[in-house]
Amino acid sequence: MIFSWRKNKLGFLTKLKKQLPGVDCGSEIAIPSHYMCPISLDLMKDPVILSTGITYDRESIEKWIDGGNFSCPVTKQELTVFDLIPNHALRRLIQDWCVANRSYGIERIPTPRIPVSPYEVKEICSRISIATQRSDLKRCSELMGKIRNWAKESERNRRCLVNGGTGDVLAASFEHFAGVSIEKHVGLLEEILLVLTCIFPVAIEGISKLGSAGSLKCLVSFLIGKDLSPKQSAVFVLKELLAADRRYVNSLAAIEGVSEALVSIIRDPLCPSNTKSSLTVIFYMILPSDIGEKMALKFVELGLVSQLLEFLVDAEKSLCEKALGILDGICDYKQGREKLYNNALTIPLLVKKILRVSELATEYSLSILLKLCKSGEKGEDEVRVEAAQLGAFQKILVLLQVGCGGDMKDKVTEMLKLLNLYKDRLDCIDSSMHFKYLKKSF
């Protein structure tokens, strides 16, 4: 038992030294064991009492419960009540101990803020609804600031706001003020939008409010505008809106300037998250639908194909997958394929991305290559030869060898058959070995 206690103590001091470089771990520090969380063995910053009477650090016990554990870590008792009661007395003792050991470089832990309760969330939602009905701009702005501060304080507060339906209330307020006058309420609308980005996902009721004609018009006006903050918020909300319900694609596409604004975000990126959001919105807009082809051709006219190919040169995984997904959709149409045929980067980049990024990126790259190789259009023969010479054949064989199923296997097999027609022109590979394996795989 003594050995175990010393081991835990040394472990704590090691962690403490990393957190506080000024701590002298060679000196003796009497650390009361009841100041340490039984889960993390770290000094508790926000001690709370569980219904079993055991005290834990709030962050540690919340992670334990959120992980699907419904028993007390120490007593192993099943929990029927999950209320976490702040242990103010112990927290003050820990703070006093930190002050007493300042000579070791230990800083006093700050007094934690009290988490938001479901009752407080319900109350503030009610106040926002009343202020919106009265068109009380000042009161609405004050309440938005309060919600934003709550959400920034902790992830627990943010979850409480989400679960309390705050997003639906904010969406209704956004629709109301956007419908009255965007120009008159632009400041408040920007505030609401900024807070909304912190508390997604929003329920169906809130999505319907954000998808209304007035709300979409306001979102696009921010998207087109020059101010960066509302532009970032608008593209994020549009992404979440279309991800929740694609029915709003038609309404969004009908608003003038939205396509140009989305492409401009990719051409002049603000930050990776905004670029991802813009790519996602475009992806949803060109999916097969009543206006899918129209939107795809619109983006082709705006130069999106060449922009995405340049973008793919050094894009990270998530961005690469989204860009390839859009190119795959555009490749369903003749004008899109023509743009890809005419760009020298197309085949080298597609071959390079196979087996280099992710399974999804590989599947998209193969799909695009197949569409270019079997389109029946001028240029498909050159694509097959170039792909084979750049090493597509070897990569596709590797895919067969390591195993792939479903649609991926069908694409791999079909691509191999197409490249097999160019056996005599593949001077860069050992034909005897690879075509022997190819014959068996068919």
Side-chain angles (χ1 to χ4, degrees):
M1 292 298 292
I2 295 176
F3 174 77
S4 176
W5 178 85
R6 287 178 177 171
K7 184 178 179 181
N8 288 341
K9 180 178 176 181
L10 287 172
F12 168 74
L13 289 175
T14 302
K15 291 180 181 179
L16 198 62
K17 185 175 182 180
K18 290 180 180 178
Q19 298 171 2
L20 303 165
V23 174
D24 181 7
C25 291
S27 305
E28 283 296 325
I29 303 177
I31 307 169
S33 59
H34 52 281
Y35 287 0
M36 294 188 289
C37 175
I39 297 176
S40 65
L41 297 180
D42 288 334
L43 194 68
M44 288 187 280
K45 297 178 180 179
D46 187 6
V48 292
I49 305 173
L50 208 56
S51 59
T52 56
I54 306 298
T55 297
Y56 300 92
D57 189 64
R58 184 185 294 277
E59 183 180 358
S60 297
I61 193 60
E62 283 185 345
K63 285 182 179 178
W64 171 267
I65 295 172
D66 290 343
N69 302 293
F70 304 117
S71 62
C72 175
V74 173
T75 66
K76 309 302 180 186
Q77 290 177 253
E78 288 295 321
L79 299 175
T80 56
V81 179
F82 296 91
D83 293 338
L84 304 177
I85 304 171
N87 192 334
H88 295 299
L90 181 58
R91 189 250 307 154
R92 292 190 187 99
L93 289 173
I94 293 173
Q95 288 176 325
D96 291 342
W97 178 85
C98 290
V99 171
N101 288 277
R102 280 180 299 181
S103 58
Y104 294 101
I106 299 175
E107 295 181 2
R108 180 181 181 275
I109 62 170
T111 301
R113 293 179 179 272
I114 300 174
V116 176
S117 67
Y119 172 80
E120 289 176 300
V121 172
K122 184 178 179 181
E123 181 67 21
I124 201 168
C125 286
S126 175
R127 292 176 182 175
I128 291 172
S129 297
I130 294 171
T132 299
Q133 292 170 7
R134 296 174 177 174
S135 294
D136 189 338
L137 303 183
K138 184 178 179 181
R139 184 59 175 156
C140 280
S141 181
E142 291 173 355
L143 294 171
M144 294 304 151
K146 192 169 186 178
I147 292 176
R148 189 183 177 197
N149 290 334
W150 280 351
K152 288 170 63 177
E153 279 178 11
S154 69
E155 177 60 23
R156 182 190 182 282
N157 282 359
R158 195 195 72 81
R159 289 199 305 270
C160 192
L161 288 166
V162 171
N163 296 334
T166 312
D168 294 344
V169 175
L170 293 181
S173 184
F174 185 83
E175 181 191 37
H176 171 80
F177 288 109
V180 174
S181 172
I182 297 175
E183 293 77 13
K184 184 179 178 180
H185 304 125
V186 63
L188 178 59
L189 288 166
E190 288 178 3
E191 287 184 58
I192 297 173
L193 204 57
L194 187 60
V195 177
L196 265 172
T197 61
C198 303
I199 54 176
F200 268 91
V202 175
I204 296 176
E205 183 181 348
I207 291 296
S208 66
K209 299 292 184 184
L210 292 173
S212 67
S215 294
L216 285 175
K217 184 180 177 182
C218 182
L219 287 169
V220 173
S221 71
F222 288 147
L223 197 67
I224 297 171
K226 296 181 179 180
D227 293 339
L228 296 184
S229 181
K231 184 192 289 281
Q232 292 172 339
S233 301
V235 72
F236 174 83
V237 171
L238 285 173
K239 177 200 72 171
E240 295 293 332
L241 176 66
L242 297 187
D245 195 334
R246 281 188 55 216
R247 290 179 301 173
Y248 297 110
V249 166
N250 290 11
S251 302
L252 178 62
I255 302 175
E256 186 178 354
V258 64
S259 303
E260 291 82 356
L262 290 169
V263 173
S264 71
I265 291 176
I266 298 171
R267 184 179 295 115
D268 304 309
L270 305 174
C271 68
S273 61
N274 290 336
T275 305
K276 289 178 186 178
S277 296
S278 183
L279 289 170
T280 303
V281 173
I282 293 173
F283 178 79
Y284 284 123
M285 293 179 78
I286 67 170
L287 285 176
S289 66
D290 297 339
I291 62 165
E293 181 176 0
K294 178 183 175 182
M295 293 311 302
L297 299 182
K298 173 73 172 177
F299 286 118
V300 169
E301 291 173 5
L302 291 171
L304 183 62
V305 172
S306 58
Q307 191 66 46
L308 289 179
L309 288 171
E310 292 175 16
F311 186 73
L312 278 170
V313 173
D314 56 0
E316 53 96 355
K317 176 184 173 182
S318 179
L319 290 171
C320 186
E321 290 174 345
K322 289 175 171 58
L324 286 169
I326 293 172
L327 288 175
D328 186 41
I330 287 175
C331 211
D332 288 332
Y333 311 106
K334 183 178 179 180
Q335 291 92 326
R337 290 192 294 270
E338 287 177 353
K339 287 290 183 181
L340 286 166
Y341 282 134
N342 296 329
N343 196 304
L345 286 173
T346 301
I347 308 305
L349 279 173
L350 291 175
V351 174
K352 181 181 178 181
K353 297 305 176 182
I354 297 174
L355 293 173
R356 287 284 296 271
V357 181
S358 66
E359 184 177 341
L360 181 59
T362 294
E363 188 168 359
Y364 278 138
S365 298
L366 277 175
S367 178
I368 297 169
L369 280 172
L370 269 176
K371 290 173 183 178
L372 294 175
C373 287
K374 50 182 283 192
S375 64
E377 298 162 359
K378 181 181 177 181
E380 68 170 30
D381 188 67
E382 289 81 359
V383 169
R384 295 179 186 180
V385 175
E386 186 178 2
Q389 290 176 340
L390 289 169
F393 191 85
Q394 299 96 310
K395 285 192 171 187
I396 294 171
L397 278 175
V398 171
L399 281 172
L400 267 183
Q401 290 170 329
V402 299
C404 54
D407 293 339
M408 175 78 87
K409 186 173 182 180
D410 293 338
K411 290 173 184 176
V412 168
T413 305
E414 191 172 0
M415 194 68 198
L416 280 173
K417 288 179 179 178
L418 289 172
L419 294 179
N420 187 36
L421 300 174
Y422 298 84
K423 176 180 177 180
D424 57 333
R425 299 165 76 171
L426 299 179
D427 302 327
C428 56
I429 65 172
D430 182 358
S431 298
S432 60
M433 180 183 70
H434 287 89
F435 281 96
K436 185 178 180 181
Y437 181 81
L438 176 62
K439 188 175 180 181
K440 289 181 180 179
S441 67
F442 290 157

